[in-house]
């Protein structure tokens, strides 16, 4: 089976080649992203393998279908960049629902600690033998309230980590898992109470119509002054302009962003020699209390290996006509796992 692999990075090849050989799957690694301009590169391949910033919209799916491509293998959990409805009945779509929730949750905590203890500033100062502490006063996490939006795999690991720090958790999820609610240190609530009562807010839900810009002018207005916002989920969850205004007005005390709504042409690439065209991102990055990482929360050895292994298994399921819990289906406009029929959005 021949697969066109889009948006290849150096760390992808070794992980995928380790698992594909035994299954006789041949990957052709393209550095370019999959989109309407590049889709013809998939001619002659049985499938495509894509990541978070490949744009697999209806036009791309129509063309893939014309080219006889039968499978789209997402090497990530989120699938907001693929028009599942358009693919339905024509091209099979698989994802990797979980590869290391620890990687993302641990990165989220790393960002939080870096931000509130000013590690990013201290690192630069001490490199210059400047050992002054002025401006570095942080705050204890112990006893603080963290609002966690989305209590799936990653949200739950993040909650465990926060509990280790002695924090209280207010959780919100469209489909709550009441088994983690102890009515005290971990408690489900509605969005409004979460916004009003949290010292820190962390986003771990998927990007859907329901969650797009869940952090906006109105929700930020409800927040405590000095709230710390963490987003390691999807950029579209945050209205970046509203966030920028709230940082300027000192409503938001700090923001840690591993994702950004318009990250598509910027993140994962070296833009150091270019003029940054995105004024909102440039202004956010210029703020002393904003930390931006380039969608790197997933990037651990363990996660890369799990992603490659599951993607190859997904392709084998497709080739052998076996059912897979990782296949995505769309009926009546609702996307769900093909086996369990459980709505995912
Ligand atoms: P998951 O599917 O295990 O959990 C998502 C949770 O969000 C579920 O409990 C679900 O019920 C909940 N949810 C769905 N709609 C909601 C809504 N309208 N409001 C509140 N909650 C809602 O997914 P997982 O593995 O925990 O991943 C979470 C997100 O993390 C993914 O959607 C993806 O966007 C992001 N991610 C980011 C990575 C990175 O490198 N920065 C890597 C992997 C995932």
């Amino acid at each position: 089976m021949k697969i066109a692999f889009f948006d290849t990075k150096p760390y992808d090849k070794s992980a995928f080649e380790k698992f594909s050989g035994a299954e006789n799957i041949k990957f052709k690694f393209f550095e370019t992203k999959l989109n309407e301009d590049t889709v013809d590169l998939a001619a002659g391949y049985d499938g495509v393998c894509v990541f978070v910033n490949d744009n697999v919209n209806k036009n791309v799916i129509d063309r893939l279908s014309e080219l006889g491509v039968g499978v789209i293998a997402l090497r990530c959990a989120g699938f907001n960049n693929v028009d599942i409805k358009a693919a339905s009945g024509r091209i099979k779509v698989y994802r990797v629902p979980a590869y290391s929730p620890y990687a993302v949750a641990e990165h989220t905590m790393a960002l939080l600690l870096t931000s509130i203890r000013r590690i990013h500033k201290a690192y630069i100062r001490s490199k210059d033998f400047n050992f002054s502490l002025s401006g570095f006063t942080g705050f204890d996490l112990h006893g603080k309230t963290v609002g966690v939006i989305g209590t799936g795999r990653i949200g739950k690991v993040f909650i465990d980590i926060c509990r280790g720090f002695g924090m209280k958790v207010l959780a919100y999820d469209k489909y709550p898992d009441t088994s983690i609610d102890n009515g005290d240190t971990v408690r489900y609530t509605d969005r409004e109470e979460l916004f009003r009562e949290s010292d820190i807010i962390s986003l771990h839900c998927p990007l859907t119509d329901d969650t797009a810009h869940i952090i906006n002018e109105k929700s930020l207005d409800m927040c405590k002054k000095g709230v710390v916002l963490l987003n390691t989920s999807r950029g579209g969850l945050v209205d970046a302009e509203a966030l920028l205004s709230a940082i300027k007005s000192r409503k938001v005390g700090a923001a840690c962003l591993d994702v950004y709504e318009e990250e598509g042409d910027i993140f994962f690439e070296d833009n150091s020699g270019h003029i940054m065209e995105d004024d909102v991102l440039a202004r956010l990055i210029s703020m002393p209390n904003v930390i931006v990482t380039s969608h790197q929360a997933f990037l651990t050895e363990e996660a890369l290996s799990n992603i490659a292994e599951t993607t190859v298994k997904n392709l084998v399921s497709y080739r052998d006509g076996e059912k897979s819990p990782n296949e995505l289906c769309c009926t009546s406009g609702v996307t769900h796992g093909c086996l369990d029929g459980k709505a995912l959005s």
Side-chain angles (χ1 to χ4, degrees):
M1 185 162 50
K2 285 164 61 190
I3 304 294
F5 193 106
F6 286 87
D7 201 10
T8 309
K9 295 289 179 280
Y11 45 77
D12 289 321
K13 282 190 192 172
S14 51
F16 274 81
E17 279 167 349
K18 182 172 147 203
F19 292 101
S20 59
E23 297 296 346
N24 204 18
I25 292 174
K26 297 237 169 337
F27 288 108
K28 170 76 180 174
F29 293 101
F30 294 107
E31 284 185 18
T32 182
K33 293 185 179 60
L34 177 60
N35 56 41
E36 290 176 31
D37 297 328
T38 61
V39 61
D40 282 355
L41 288 170
Y45 291 91
D46 303 296
V48 294
C49 183
V50 300
F51 197 48
V52 293
N53 289 320
D54 293 291
N55 183 2
V56 197
N57 63 19
K58 182 175 180 308
N59 292 341
V60 169
I61 284 170
D62 288 347
R63 185 66 187 138
L64 287 174
S65 179
E66 280 168 21
L67 293 172
V69 169
V71 58
I72 298 168
L74 280 152
R75 46 184 197 278
C76 51
F79 48 87
N80 51 287
N81 55 330
V82 180
D83 189 334
I84 307 287
K85 201 170 159 192
S88 202
R90 295 197 289 167
I91 301 182
K92 295 207 176 222
V93 184
Y94 296 80
R95 67 171 180 148
V96 183
Y99 35 91
S100 174
Y102 310 103
V104 182
E106 289 170 14
H107 188 77
T108 311
M109 181 49 85
L111 287 173
L112 174 60
L113 286 170
T114 301
S115 169
I116 65 162
R117 303 308 301 268
R118 317 284 191 265
I119 306 292
H120 54 310
K121 297 280 175 193
Y123 175 79
I124 292 167
R125 256 190 219 178
S126 58
K127 281 272 173 204
D128 200 27
F129 302 101
N130 174 354
F131 300 114
S132 152
L133 294 181
S134 33
F136 282 176
T137 309
F139 62 81
D140 292 4
L141 288 178
H142 188 269
K144 295 293 183 301
T145 299
V146 59
V148 177
I149 300 183
T151 57
R153 297 176 191 89
I154 296 168
K156 282 199 187 90
V157 175
F158 186 66
I159 288 172
D160 282 347
I161 293 172
C162 290
R163 290 292 306 126
F165 277 78
M167 301 168 82
K168 284 196 165 188
V169 178
L170 283 176
Y172 170 75
D173 196 298
K174 195 170 177 185
Y175 309 100
D177 175 359
T178 46
S179 70
I180 63 168
D181 186 328
N182 61 19
D184 179 22
T185 49
V186 181
R187 184 165 64 78
Y188 276 102
T189 183
D190 54 28
R191 285 189 195 187
E192 200 171 312
E193 191 195 355
L194 186 146
F195 288 132
R196 289 195 195 289
E197 299 302 324
S198 300
D199 301 297
I200 295 144
I201 295 175
S202 197
L203 306 177
H204 299 290
C205 58
L207 176 61
T208 65
D209 290 346
D210 211 19
T211 60
H213 286 188
I214 193 169
I215 301 298
N216 54 36
E217 195 184 336
K218 206 171 143 208
S219 51
L220 287 166
D221 258 3
M222 284 187 242
C223 290
K224 281 188 180 178
K225 187 169 164 42
V227 65
V228 178
L229 177 71
L230 310 171
N231 187 10
T232 56
S233 194
R234 282 292 180 269
L237 298 173
V238 176
D239 177 343
E241 292 193 29
L243 174 63
L244 187 56
S245 303
I247 292 168
K248 283 184 186 167
S249 70
R250 315 305 197 255
K251 179 79 172 188
V252 167
C256 303
L257 310 172
D258 186 53
V259 286
Y260 177 67
E261 190 162 13
E262 305 299 332
E263 70 181 49
D265 292 328
I266 303 170
F267 280 20
F268 301 109
E269 309 296 339
D270 179 0
N271 282 290
S272 57
H274 299 271
I275 305 289
M276 174 52 64
E277 299 284 349
D278 188 320
D279 288 350
V280 175
L281 180 61
R283 187 74 174 101
L284 282 169
I285 288 175
S286 78
M287 298 282 186
N289 53 353
V290 174
I291 296 178
V292 173
T293 52
S294 177
H295 208 135
Q296 88 176 61
F298 76 99
L299 195 59
T300 64
E301 292 287 349
E302 292 81 357
L304 287 177
S305 180
N306 292 340
I307 288 170
E309 186 176 16
T310 305
T311 304
V312 168
K313 274 189 192 153
N314 288 345
L315 289 167
V316 169
S317 298
Y318 164 76
R319 182 186 63 194
D320 297 349
E322 290 163 0
K323 293 212 175 299
S324 163
N326 300 338
E327 189 183 339
L328 298 170
C329 295
C330 181
T331 39
S332 316
V334 178
T335 299
H336 49 80
C338 287
L339 281 188
D340 58 12
K342 188 181 156 221
L344 294 165
S345 57

